[in-house]
Amino acid sequence: MSQDTNRATPCINVCMIDPRTDLCFGCGRTLSEIARWGTMAADERNALIAELPVRMREAGLPSMRPHSLS
């Protein structure tokens, strides 16, 4: 199943900004990126989605995943 990144968002509803890195603890985006998400072109979103795991790792932020309900 492919993810439609035109509508997809990396948001996992953990919306808190790390004061040290200025990145969201949940998704790794900056406030500016979060604010612009709805107006970003699909290729810009795709590039950002691909970058987020590396960004989080390099910032020393834990990867937070939504909890499953199983």
Side-chain angles (χ1 to χ4, degrees):
M1 175 193 236
S2 68
Q3 182 180 30
D4 181 358
T5 54
N6 288 329
R7 287 186 235 143
T9 175
C11 181
I12 61 167
N13 295 319
V14 176
C15 303
M16 296 186 313
I17 301 298
D18 175 36
R20 182 180 56 85
T21 64
D22 290 327
L23 300 175
C24 175
F25 281 108
C27 67
R29 295 178 293 171
T30 65
L31 283 174
S32 173
E33 291 164 341
I34 293 167
R36 292 185 307 110
W37 190 259
T39 61
M40 283 182 180
D43 60 338
E44 188 178 6
R45 287 182 189 181
N46 291 338
L48 184 55
I49 286 172
E51 177 187 327
L52 293 176
V54 173
R55 180 189 285 187
M56 295 284 283
R57 207 170 30 254
E58 288 177 351
L61 297 176
S63 177
M64 301 179 115
R65 302 275 185 236
H67 297 299
S68 78
L69 298 175
S70 55

